[in-house]
Amino acid sequence: MAGKKEKSAYAEFVIEAEELLESMGDRLTALEKDAEEGNVDPGMVNDFFRSMHTLKGLSGMLGLKNVSDLSHGLENLMDMLRMGKIDFRHGAMDALFSGVEILSRLVARVGAAGSEEGIDISAELRRIRQAMEEKAEGDRDVTLENVGLDQRILETLTEYEEHRLLDNLRRNNSLYRVEAHFPFASFDRELHEISEKLRSQGEIISTLPSSDESSPETISFDLVVGSAKTRKQIARSLGKRKGVTLHAVECGGTPPPAAAPASREPPERAAAEAGYESMTLKSLSQTVRVDIRKLDNLMNIVGELVINRTSISQISQELLVLRGFTGLAVDLSKGARNLERNLRQLQQAVIGSRMVPIGQVFSRLNRVVRKLSQDFGKKVELTVHGEETELDKLMVEDLADPLLHLVRNSFDHGLEAPAERKKLGKPEVGSIELRAEQRGNHIIIEIEDDGRGIDVEKIRKIAVDKGLLEEGHSADEQSVLNFLFLPAFSTKEKASQMSGRGVGLDVVKTNVARLGGMIDVETELGVGTRLTITLPITLAIIQALLVEVGDEHFAIPLNSILESNRIYKGQIKTVEKREVIHLRDRTLPLLRLADIFRIGGSRAANSDKLYVVVVGLAEKRLGLVVDSLQGQQEVVIKSLGEVFEGVTGVAGATELGDKKAILVLDVGALIEEATHGS
Amino acid sequence: MPPGAKSNKDNDPEGLDREEDQASAAEGLTELLGFMLADEEYALDILEIKEIIRLRTITAVPRTPDYLKGIITLRGVIVPVFDLRRRLGLDEAGHGQHTRIVVVYRGDEFAGMIVDSITHVMEVGVEEIEPPPPTIGTVEVEFIKGVTRFQERLVILLNLARVLDVKS
């Protein structure tokens, strides 16, 4: 049993370890892609190596033996990879992927149970050992022999630098030597500057202090650079700089079969070099970790400020018509406008601080797809676009499971087995594409596969069998597809290992709806399926349309409103005792807020013209009948509290400038009510 | 020692004088806030009360029992408001200039209760509070914690937890 102190140490560890593993997972995905193209970014490899080393250190300090042993193994493997002793081939990549996966599980176990028991790492360690035995094709085909670098330079290169140099030669990159003389006073800044410039053009293989002693006030360096760019391009990027000269280095012709590289550097330099040359005790990242509840609190305060600002604007408006106060009123309203601008900035900044890139979830999905692909022998390529798109942190977490389910669905139901795909003339490797993009105040997430598509007729048949649809009913394709989102509607007779876990599309829909989002399906038989999720960027502050019914006001979240229309009484038809109208080729059920909320004095009841606010959530649409529209406003949603728990149709309340509370409608619940009856 | 009225009768509850709080607790006294409902005087322990505010616009919440009048906002916080007359099964009455909302603590949240008027704060010995008699006017016994006498008048102590319990 872990003591209290250990537990809190574990909590810290888990947070840090999760971050490290997350970033390593991201890098692995990129590394794999680069490795396939034969163009591995050494910086990325070093980052990964360092992260693994940090994890080893952290876990070792806490005596977490499994985590530390496994990260130690992976660190060694990574070391061999970066030294070019083994290649980024399948064995090594698999060992890295599955090693990171097991590490994540171990860390999660430590977080949940305070111990790492129950997860065996011996298979992983074996896998790592095997991968380390896969000999590299290595540096055999090129040598340093004909490289036109000064012997003094060649002799001081470390084993790793030598490997990087050879690797550059093998990729037919050109070598350059940058000779730099900087004044003592500013050499660190200037060296940093040209290093940055050079890194944008290629790889700095080595930075060596040079023995040139032309002037006592300067310090000199030789930078060995490998790059695919021409000398001219690099010179242009460096610009004119005092004391900096660029030399092209002769790389020699076709080299003769190699002798082993001559000399090795002294051991203490090798140790110092092992990827830590830039390591300091100072934390490199400029990030602060903040509890999301603190940000919630900040958000509430900003909300209050917005309300207060509205009061001030109102006072200035009232003051404006009073005799003798015009001057003051103008000043006050000017002040209020400035305040408004500052508040908007503050609000945006606070919202911004809650935002995280959706790539965090995407990279987790990538690992899942890899695993599925291995386990089930279906070849899949997951491509990701727009991973930098930002979303509220809480929403990103709530999105993880629905997205995972949709990707699994695509993998399991959508993509055909390789043999079947071949027969159909499709590429053997199936494709799942994840796209995220921001459009206005919304985030659009698409999951698209090139699988078999959804058989609409089959769903129609099942719907008839289940009594959801009358025989011979001419429901359009979209409404038939909507049956997929009903609980326990499955078209695969036998549930597979993956999707037979009791979570259906209905759960996905509910989760997306809870985030104020909608989901749509498009499909073409034999070609593929695309699911589109539309979400608001944040939930805390929303744009709302204010409407009036009788003497009551309500706020409707703008993100669930599709349009608002003025209609005539004559357009309303009655189908099965329910009011509907036809709008843009669709039959739209109507709900009179005055009726369902029993509000007296509604003008819409008797008037010839009335307003309909068309709301949609997920795939459903509904027309809300109201007396009038009162304009848009930004509102902060607050809970009604425990007393009103269980009240349906109301999502919360908000305060407008005049200290009056206004109810915010729960569009999802109202739609549910209208479509299933109450 | 006869307990004395500390506040006045001018309906100025915002000026509640509480400087003798500690002294009275030491002597086994409890402070009550008295208020009127349908010509009867009721009371709550002053420690149960957050503040007293004038009536303001209450936003009705649909699909709730009659005795839940709706919500108000109090410095940005949403507060449910109970119509105390209805809650206790008394006749409904119009609101006048003495009508107040007594805001009380309800767990971590607050709740408001509409009363006809505030009378005063009284200091009562704990031993002077008696259990409720089986029949007491029209109010159900479950809402009553006890009764006491103050300046020759009957004062009914409310069982706040029961009054605010909306699950029953």
Side-chain angles (χ1 to χ4, degrees):
Chain A
M1 208 65 225
K4 203 171 179 184
K5 203 171 168 189
E6 274 151 26
K7 265 203 180 132
S8 76
Y10 282 162
E12 274 292 303
F13 164 77
V14 169
I15 295 171
E16 262 189 89
E18 277 179 342
E19 264 177 22
L20 284 168
L21 286 166
E22 189 103 349
S23 79
M24 284 191 266
D26 289 349
R27 293 210 176 87
L28 266 189
T29 312
L31 264 182
E32 185 182 36
K33 209 166 142 204
D34 291 353
E36 270 164 24
E37 292 160 7
N39 190 16
V40 174
D41 172 10
M44 191 129 68
V45 178
N46 278 330
D47 281 350
F48 188 100
F49 177 73
R50 261 172 246 167
S51 296
M52 198 51 95
H53 181 79
T54 309
L55 181 63
K56 184 182 82 174
L58 286 173
S59 54
M61 264 182 332
L62 290 170
L64 295 167
K65 189 160 183 315
N66 285 356
V67 179
S68 119
D69 285 356
L70 183 50
S71 44
H72 179 66
L74 290 169
E75 183 192 1
N76 285 343
L77 175 64
M78 209 62 208
D79 195 31
M80 290 183 76
L81 283 166
R82 72 187 193 110
M83 296 297 235
K85 288 179 182 158
I86 53 174
D87 282 338
F88 283 89
R89 276 189 305 207
H90 287 297
M93 283 317 286
D94 284 350
L96 288 171
F97 266 106
S98 83
V100 168
E101 179 70 34
I102 299 287
L103 280 175
S104 305
R105 274 168 50 195
L106 278 167
V107 167
R109 169 66 57 93
V110 170
S115 100
E116 23 168 43
E117 273 159 47
I119 297 174
D120 185 29
I121 60 163
S122 55
E124 287 312 313
L125 294 177
R126 230 181 356 260
R127 199 200 288 258
I128 292 167
R129 273 197 302 275
Q130 274 164 11
M132 284 167 54
E133 278 158 21
E134 287 180 8
K135 275 270 160 350
E137 286 158 16
D139 303 335
R140 282 178 295 258
D141 50 343
V142 282
T143 66
L144 295 177
E145 207 141 296
N146 293 326
V147 172
L149 278 174
D150 193 299
Q151 195 59 29
R152 275 179 320 168
I153 290 181
L154 281 179
E155 271 169 14
T156 42
L157 290 180
T158 67
E159 185 186 355
Y160 176 64
E161 286 166 350
E162 208 172 278
H163 159 63
R164 294 309 316 151
L165 203 158
L166 290 169
D167 189 53
N168 270 288
L169 292 179
R170 201 167 48 239
R171 286 189 279 140
N172 286 326
N173 283 348
S174 310
L175 287 184
Y176 301 96
R177 183 171 66 87
V178 179
E179 194 186 326
H181 308 276
F182 298 126
F184 264 113
S186 61
F187 81 91
D188 46 352
R189 182 177 52 77
E190 291 195 42
L191 180 63
H192 178 78
E193 274 174 23
I194 69 160
S195 297
E196 286 298 299
K197 288 255 153 57
L198 290 170
R199 261 183 216 114
S200 70
Q201 302 297 312
E203 178 187 354
I204 300 179
I205 295 166
S206 182
T207 303
L208 301 163
S210 141
S211 48
D212 180 273
E213 272 151 24
S214 51
S215 152
E217 278 90 42
T218 63
I219 180 163
S220 307
F221 295 91
D222 278 319
L223 289 94
V224 182
V225 177
S227 170
K229 304 251 165 92
T230 63
R231 182 167 185 270
K232 222 179 197 166
Q233 283 170 315
I234 294 177
R236 195 175 310 132
S237 131
L238 280 176
K240 267 218 166 75
R241 256 167 211 279
K242 203 166 160 256
V244 177
T245 8
L246 177 68
H247 308 276
V249 176
E250 187 62 44
C251 295
T254 327
S263 67
R264 287 274 171 253
E265 70 286 353
E268 62 271 12
R269 182 149 158 72
E273 178 276 335
Y276 309 114
E277 59 274 64
S278 60
M279 210 178 183
T280 76
L281 278 177
K282 213 166 78 188
S283 169
L284 288 175
S285 107
Q286 300 268 351
T287 316
V288 180
R289 213 180 280 133
V290 182
D291 188 329
I292 188 98
R293 276 168 300 187
K294 284 188 185 169
L295 293 179
D296 274 344
N297 190 27
L298 208 53
M299 200 79 152
N300 282 339
I301 297 169
V302 174
E304 301 285 297
L305 284 172
V306 170
I307 291 163
N308 289 333
R309 194 267 307 159
T310 316
S311 312
I312 294 174
S313 307
Q314 267 166 8
I315 293 169
S316 78
Q317 290 303 315
E318 282 162 29
L319 213 55
L320 206 56
V321 295
L322 289 184
R323 196 182 285 266
F325 289 102
T326 322
L328 272 180
V330 169
D331 286 350
L332 185 59
S333 81
K334 240 186 239 164
R337 267 204 303 279
N338 285 338
L339 182 61
E340 180 180 354
R341 194 170 47 239
N342 295 148
L343 275 178
R344 180 146 304 157
Q345 287 164 347
L346 179 61
Q347 207 176 68
Q348 235 124 48
V350 173
I351 292 176
S353 68
R354 303 166 57 96
M355 295 296 182
V356 292
I358 197 166
Q360 287 188 358
V361 177
F362 282 2
S363 70
R364 274 181 251 168
L365 291 175
N366 208 334
R367 273 173 272 161
V368 171
V369 168
R370 222 189 121 83
K371 178 108 186 14
L372 287 174
S373 163
Q374 268 174 9
D375 292 356
F376 290 86
K378 275 186 188 178
K379 288 184 188 158
V380 189
E381 192 184 2
L382 184 79
T383 29
V384 170
H385 305 276
E387 56 265 63
E388 71 287 345
T389 311
E390 290 194 319
L391 207 57
D392 195 304
K393 168 76 180 165
L394 288 179
M395 296 179 72
V396 165
E397 288 309 312
D398 288 347
L399 262 181
D401 285 343
L403 284 178
L404 176 63
H405 189 79
L406 293 179
V407 167
R408 279 176 154 184
N409 256 342
S410 283
F411 182 86
D412 188 39
H413 301 305
L415 297 178
E416 308 90 338
E420 194 182 337
R421 290 183 67 91
K422 231 176 180 174
K423 224 185 291 167
L424 291 166
K426 288 185 179 182
E428 211 177 319
V429 179
S431 139
I432 299 178
E433 248 182 87
L434 278 171
R435 273 187 296 269
E437 108 178 79
Q438 181 174 350
R439 274 184 222 154
N441 272 328
H442 283 89
I443 299 290
I444 318 276
I445 300 167
E446 291 179 337
I447 299 117
E448 187 172 359
D449 66 60
D450 68 344
R452 55 172 71 94
I454 300 171
D455 189 342
V456 179
E457 288 316 307
K458 200 162 153 194
I459 292 170
R460 194 190 294 272
K461 236 182 96 214
I462 294 172
V464 172
D465 288 350
K466 293 200 178 204
L468 296 165
L469 200 63
E470 277 173 45
E471 186 96 54
H473 194 287
S474 62
D476 60 31
E477 184 177 312
Q478 199 57 45
S479 20
V480 173
L481 282 174
N482 285 345
F483 285 124
L484 285 174
F485 296 101
L486 289 181
F489 195 99
S490 170
T491 58
K492 258 222 156 157
E493 286 76 33
K494 240 198 293 168
S496 84
Q497 189 188 337
M498 288 163 299
S499 39
R501 290 191 184 166
V503 224
L505 280 177
D506 60 313
V507 178
V508 172
K509 191 199 79 171
T510 315
N511 286 339
V512 170
R514 200 182 304 138
L515 297 174
M518 311 187 200
I519 182 164
D520 277 308
V521 208
E522 295 160 77
T523 188
E524 195 172 330
L525 203 56
V527 178
T529 304
R530 173 163 60 206
L531 285 128
T532 309
I533 297 174
T534 311
L535 290 168
I537 289 178
T538 178
L539 293 177
I541 293 186
I542 59 159
Q543 281 286 335
L545 176 71
L546 302 186
V547 299
E548 194 179 32
V549 182
D551 286 333
E552 304 284 342
H553 291 83
F554 295 96
I556 308 177
L558 214 58
N559 58 48
S560 53
I561 298 178
L562 302 168
E563 57 180 317
S564 40
N565 277 326
R566 196 166 184 188
I567 61 162
Y568 291 93
K569 214 175 174 178
Q571 290 174 265
I572 301 179
K573 309 242 171 353
T574 309
V575 176
E576 288 163 17
K577 291 183 192 162
R578 292 202 178 132
E579 290 185 313
V580 300
I581 53 165
H582 285 283
L583 201 68
R584 306 189 206 298
D585 299 330
R586 279 178 88 144
T587 304
L588 185 73
L590 291 183
L591 199 65
R592 288 178 186 261
L593 283 182
D595 289 353
I596 62 155
F597 287 164
R598 294 171 204 277
I599 300 166
S602 163
R603 298 188 302 277
N606 308 309
S607 158
D608 189 40
K609 287 178 198 160
L610 25 93
Y611 286 95
V612 172
V613 180
V614 182
V615 291
L617 197 70
E619 75 289 359
K620 285 178 184 149
R621 309 279 182 264
L622 175 71
L624 297 172
V625 180
V626 301
D627 289 6
S628 67
L629 309 178
Q630 306 272 311
Q632 292 177 16
Q633 191 163 337
E634 206 156 68
V635 300
V636 181
I637 300 190
K638 292 181 173 156
S639 153
L640 286 185
E642 204 205 6
V643 170
F644 296 105
E645 240 171 46
V647 174
T648 55
V650 179
T654 187
E655 184 180 12
L656 295 189
D658 52 6
K659 286 197 175 164
K660 190 177 183 297
I662 281 196
L663 299 180
V664 181
L665 297 185
D666 182 348
V667 169
L670 291 175
I671 291 179
E672 219 44 49
E673 195 174 315
T675 45
H676 291 142
S678 45
Chain B
M1 183 186 84
K6 291 204 315 183
S7 191
N8 42 27
K9 298 178 187 76
D10 67 358
N11 283 339
D12 181 22
E14 270 90 18
L16 293 178
D17 174 7
R18 304 183 63 171
E19 63 190 30
E20 285 172 43
D21 270 3
Q22 290 181 334
S24 43
E27 291 160 33
L29 294 172
T30 176
E31 275 184 299
L32 305 176
L33 175 81
F35 50 86
M36 298 303 288
L37 281 175
D39 299 326
E40 301 255 29
E41 187 165 15
Y42 293 81
L44 284 172
D45 192 319
I46 232 161
L47 298 176
E48 294 174 311
I49 293 164
K50 178 174 185 283
E51 60 184 293
I52 296 155
I53 56 173
R54 285 174 192 277
L55 196 64
R56 58 171 77 176
T57 317
I58 299 172
T59 303
V61 178
R63 301 166 164 185
T64 49
D66 282 350
Y67 63 80
L68 280 177
K69 203 72 184 162
I71 52 170
I72 55 170
T73 70
L74 193 62
R75 290 180 286 280
V77 178
I78 303 288
V79 178
V81 179
F82 288 68
D83 184 333
L84 200 49
R85 275 181 172 247
R86 287 216 162 197
R87 181 59 175 153
L88 301 180
L90 303 169
D91 292 337
E92 214 180 347
H95 300 146
Q97 73 172 113
H98 296 304
T99 308
R100 292 288 183 279
I101 298 176
V102 179
V103 180
V104 296
Y105 296 98
R106 185 185 188 279
D108 292 339
E109 301 175 359
F110 305 116
M113 300 193 301
I114 304 174
V115 302
D116 292 358
S117 64
I118 302 293
T119 53
H120 42 226
V121 173
M122 41 198 140
E123 219 166 51
V124 177
V126 177
E127 71 282 0
E128 287 172 64
I129 299 172
E130 293 162 22
T135 51
I136 180 165
T138 40
V139 176
E140 285 179 50
V141 179
E142 60 162 334
F143 292 129
I144 296 169
K145 196 164 26 179
V147 293
T148 189
R149 292 208 158 262
F150 181 75
Q151 292 177 349
E152 304 307 309
R153 293 195 315 270
L154 181 76
V155 177
I156 306 167
L157 259 79
L158 286 179
N159 181 344
L160 188 62
R162 293 289 297 124
V163 170
L164 297 181
D165 183 3
V166 290
K167 302 283 184 317
S168 59

